[in-house]
Structures are given as structure tokens and as C-alpha cells.
């Protein structure tokens, strides 16, 4: 995947690094003899800027390499986040070394500063720790459909402090379609609540089911064949590369159960991608209902006031 902005950044950082290192060594020339008192701080400043530029250059080169790898989008996203975090960390080390000539004083100052910040920013620090947990535990990645507490949707960003999802279902919908709303929650929430992940690279499907109410006098073998045919044909049309004998685990199934009223329910269970639950249910019903309605002598539907 080509990234013109990344390539231009690499060129800029490369040129800047060369200019800074040349300037650093040029300060030792006799030409700057009249600037004796400024030479030492200028050399330290130029060396610090060179190191920071070099760190940024290396980070861009690594990012460019990661973007070219054939990896999952979520994995690429996490790797780039880690690279950027390490870039900031090493840059801060260089800045700290420049500001504090005494390493012991720098360590003490940094320790006291960290202690104060730790008390003042407990919630953001907890969210950052949760982000680190997410990176290694891989509870969810960008692109996954998840549910945590009352939030359900597709993950579009995992930042250091919070996660952004594009909501599905929600307050105004009775199906799994996207609601158009964006939800953000702190990463620390994953340390307190259970996470349901509907997506995964190894298991692309979840299982869903449709219940059709029928009378006890119906031909259940005929109904079973109709429901299986509708679910199987839709699967073959939607996923032709998976419709083989090697994928028997994804074949639909039908079972029957009693209803609390005076009828039965024929239930077809079938695999579906998390993003296609509503669409696949509609397609199966559109194929199954005409077949059932075409044979009224075999398929009787419940009647009466309770219906």
C-alpha cells in the first residue's frame, strides 16, 4: 500500500538529519572561534535535534514497512500505535538528557513528576494500561464487531485512552444495522466488564436462527426441507468459495420446539457474518415463505385470537 505522505516525511527527516549532523560537526571549525561560549550548548542542541530526527526517521521507515506487510488491518493498526508510542518515549529521553546534565537529578525529577501525575491522572493511566492489555491480549481489533456493557458496534479506532465504535442497533433500531451514531468509551472499561466479540479471523461466522410458527398438523419433514433449502441456497450464493464438503460445520440445521400457545415452531439455525444478520434473515425468509405458502395441504399456520 503506497503512502505518498509517508514517503515525503521520510525524505524530509532524512535531509534534516543530514543537515543537523553536518551543522553539529561544523561547530568545531575555527570559523566559529568568536562564538566559543555558545559552541557547547549549540553542539548539544544540534545533537539532540539530530537524535530526535533520527528517531522520527526510523519510525517512519518501520511504519512504511508495516503498511506493506500482508497483515490484518487490526494488527497493522496496533503495530503502528506501538511504533508511535515508542517514538515519543525515546524522544522524551533525548529531551530529558538535554535538559538535565546530571542523570541522577533527571531521574529524581522524573520520579517525583511521575508520582504527582500518577495521583492526578489515575483514570487516564488506567485506560492506558488497558490499551497495553488490548495490544497483547487482542480482545478486539479495528474492524471487529463487539459488545461491551450497553455498547455494541464496529470498532473503528483504538487510541491510547479510549475506543471508538460505530454503533449498530441502539435505541432506535430493532435490527443489527448501523445506527449512524459514534460511541466512545474509555479503555479502562474492558478491565471491569465482559467483552463479546462477534468477529474473528479464524471464525468468520456467528450462528443465528429464524423461528416459523406452524400448526401441529403440518408436515414437519416438508417444512424442514424448505427451510434447509432456503438457507443452503442463500449460503451458496453469498459464499460460493465456502460451499464445499470441507465446510460441513457451517451447514444449516432445523429443529422443532413447542410454543407456550397451541402451536409449534420450526427453527432454522444458520451461519452468518456479524454484519449481515438482518440481510441474511430477510433473504432466507423470502425464499422459504413462498415454498411454504405454495403447499397449504402440508403447511398449516396457527389461527385464532392468540395468533
Amino acid at each position: 500500500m503506497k503512502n505518498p505522505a509517508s514517503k515525503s516525511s521520510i525524505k524530509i527527516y532524512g535531509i534534516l538529519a543530514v543537515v543537523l549532523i553536518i551543522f553539529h560537526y561544523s561547530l568545531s571549525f575555527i570559523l566559529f572561534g568568536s562564538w566559543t561560549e555558545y559552541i557547547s550548548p549549540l553542539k548539544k542542541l544540534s545533537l539532540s535535534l539530530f537524535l530526535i530526527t533520527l528517531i522520527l526517521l526510523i519510525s517512519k521507515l518501520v511504519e512504511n514497512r508495516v503498511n506493506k506487510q500482508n497483515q490484518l488491518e487490526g494488527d497493522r493498526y496496533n503495530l503502528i500505535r506501538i511504533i508511535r508510542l515508542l517514538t515519543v518515549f525515546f524522544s522524551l529521553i533525548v529531551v530529558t538528557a538535554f535538559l538535565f546534565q546530571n542523570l541522577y537529578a533527571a531521574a529524581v525529577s522524573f520520579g517525583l513528576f511521575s508520582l504527582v501525575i500518577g495521583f492526578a491522572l489515575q483514570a487516564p493511566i488506567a485506560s492506558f494500561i488497558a490499551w497495553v492489555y488490548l495490544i497483547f491480549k487482542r480482545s478486539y481489533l479495528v474492524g471487529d464487531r463487539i459488545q461491551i456493557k450497553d455498547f455494541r458496534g464496529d470498532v473503528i479506532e483504538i487510541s491510547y485512552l479510549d475506543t471508538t465504535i460505530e454503533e449498530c442497533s441502539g435505541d432506535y433500531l430493532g435490527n443489527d444495522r448501523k445506527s449512524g451514531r459514534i460511541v466512545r468509551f474509555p479503555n479502562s472499561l474492558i478491565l471491569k466488564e465482559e467483552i463479546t466479540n462477534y468477529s474473528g479471523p479464524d471464525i468468520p461466522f456467528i450462528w443465528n436462527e429464524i423461528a416459523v410458527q406452524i400448526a401441529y398438523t403440518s408436515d414437519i419433514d416438508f417444512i424442514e426441507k424448505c427451510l434447509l433449502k432456503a438457507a443452503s441456497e442463500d449460503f451458496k450464493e453469498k459464499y460460493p468459495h465456502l460451499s464445499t464438503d470441507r465446510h460441513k460445520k457451517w451447514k444449516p440445521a432445523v429443529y422443532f420446539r413447542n410454543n407456550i400457545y397451541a402451536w409449534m415452531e420450526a427453527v432454522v439455525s444458520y451461519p452468518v457474518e456479524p454484519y449481515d444478520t438482518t440481510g441474511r434473515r430477510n433473504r432466507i425468509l423470502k425464499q422459504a415463505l413462498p415454498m411454504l405458502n405454495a403447499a397449504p395441504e402440508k403447511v398449516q399456520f396457527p389461527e385464532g385470537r392468540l395468533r
Side-chain angles (χ1 to χ4, degrees):
M1 182 173 60
K2 296 183 179 180
N3 191 342
S6 178
K7 289 186 177 181
S8 62
S9 298
I10 291 173
K11 291 180 181 178
I12 292 173
Y13 289 137
I15 295 172
L16 188 58
V18 172
V19 171
L20 286 170
I21 197 64
I22 292 175
F23 177 73
H24 173 77
Y25 286 107
S26 299
L27 290 172
S28 302
F29 292 168
I30 191 64
L31 177 65
F32 300 99
S34 58
W35 293 8
T36 305
E37 58 181 312
Y38 302 109
I39 289 178
S40 180
L42 282 174
K43 290 184 72 174
K44 292 177 181 177
L45 177 62
S46 61
L47 182 60
S48 298
L49 292 176
F50 166 74
L51 291 175
I52 292 174
T53 305
L54 187 62
I55 291 171
L56 293 172
L57 175 61
I58 293 173
S59 71
K60 288 297 179 183
L61 288 171
V62 176
E63 278 187 33
N64 192 43
R65 180 66 177 174
V66 168
N67 282 325
K68 291 180 179 179
Q69 296 298 315
N70 186 21
Q71 296 171 320
L72 291 173
E73 180 185 356
D75 289 333
R76 284 201 306 269
Y77 181 91
N78 287 340
L79 283 173
I80 290 175
R81 282 286 182 178
I82 293 174
I83 292 167
R84 292 177 180 175
L85 180 63
L86 292 175
T87 300
V88 173
F89 176 74
F90 287 121
S91 298
L92 286 176
I93 291 178
V94 174
V95 172
T96 303
F98 173 74
L99 294 177
F100 298 93
Q101 303 303 319
N102 188 327
L103 293 179
Y104 176 77
V108 172
S109 301
F110 183 76
L112 292 174
F113 178 76
S114 300
L115 185 63
V116 174
I117 292 298
F119 280 110
L121 301 175
Q122 293 184 37
I125 289 174
S127 290
F128 178 77
I129 293 173
W131 174 79
V132 176
Y133 172 84
L134 279 172
I135 293 298
F136 291 99
K137 192 65 176 178
R138 294 166 58 92
S139 300
Y140 55 80
L141 301 172
V142 170
D144 288 354
R145 174 162 292 188
I146 66 169
Q147 180 170 344
I148 177 170
K149 204 173 180 180
D150 297 327
F151 310 121
R152 181 163 66 164
D154 301 330
V155 179
I156 57 178
E157 183 182 8
I158 306 173
S159 68
Y160 301 120
L161 299 181
D162 58 27
T163 295
T164 304
I165 64 173
E166 190 174 4
E167 185 190 49
C168 65
S169 189
D171 299 330
Y172 304 102
L173 292 176
N175 54 47
D176 287 333
R177 294 192 182 279
K178 295 181 180 180
S179 68
R181 301 195 301 183
I182 299 297
V183 178
R184 292 184 176 88
F185 59 85
N187 291 335
S188 58
L189 192 62
I190 71 167
L191 303 177
K192 306 173 185 176
E193 303 288 341
E194 64 181 20
I195 304 169
T196 302
N197 192 332
Y198 296 92
S199 306
D202 300 323
I203 307 175
F205 300 113
I206 60 174
W207 284 86
N208 201 355
E209 63 180 27
I210 301 172
V212 179
Q213 298 166 352
I214 58 173
Y216 281 95
T217 54
S218 300
D219 185 339
I220 59 175
D221 289 331
F222 175 78
I223 293 173
E224 181 180 13
K225 290 179 182 178
C226 291
L227 293 177
L228 288 176
K229 181 179 180 181
S232 299
E233 288 185 355
D234 180 70
F235 189 86
K236 290 178 181 179
E237 183 177 347
K238 185 71 175 179
Y239 313 105
H241 59 293
L242 298 179
S243 301
T244 63
D245 292 336
R246 293 182 303 169
H247 302 285
K248 292 182 179 180
K249 62 179 180 179
W250 288 326
K251 287 188 175 181
V254 173
Y255 67 94
F256 299 89
R257 65 191 178 197
N258 295 327
N259 193 278
I260 59 174
Y261 300 110
W263 58 74
M264 297 176 59
E265 288 183 344
V267 183
V268 56
S269 179
Y270 55 89
V272 60
E273 288 183 303
Y275 312 98
D276 192 34
T277 53
T278 301
R280 183 146 158 73
R281 179 174 64 244
N282 290 346
R283 294 193 301 270
I284 291 174
L285 286 174
K286 286 181 179 179
Q287 290 191 49
L289 289 179
M291 289 189 288
L292 298 176
N293 288 323
E297 72 284 356
K298 294 183 178 181
V299 184
Q300 287 87 40
F301 295 103
E303 295 180 357
R305 290 184 299 174
L306 293 179
R307 181 70 176 87

